[in-house]
Amino acid sequence: REFYDKKREEGKPYKVAVIACANKLLQWIYALLKSNSPFQDIA
């Protein structure tokens, strides 16, 4: 949610901010699968 809010504050349209969040999530998933490590929520 913080990342989305940051993008919106930068003046990005709704759809651009949502796609940026989706891309970030996909990068996290790919990195976890590639390294074969479990997800650890640090928040």
Side-chain angles (χ1 to χ4, degrees), residues 4-33:
Y4 170 80
D5 291 337
K6 178 183 166 196
K7 290 297 169 190
R8 290 294 284 166
E9 287 174 6
E10 290 175 2
K12 306 287 185 195
Y14 167 78
K15 286 186 179 182
V16 172
V18 168
I19 294 299
C21 292
N23 284 334
K24 186 169 189 142
L25 181 59
L26 286 172
Q27 289 173 359
W28 283 350
I29 292 169
Y30 178 74
L32 288 172
L33 292 174

Side-chain angles (χ1 to χ4, degrees), residues 28 32 37-42:
W28 283 350
L32 288 172
S37 62
F39 174 75
Q40 296 176 351
D41 190 7
I42 59 173

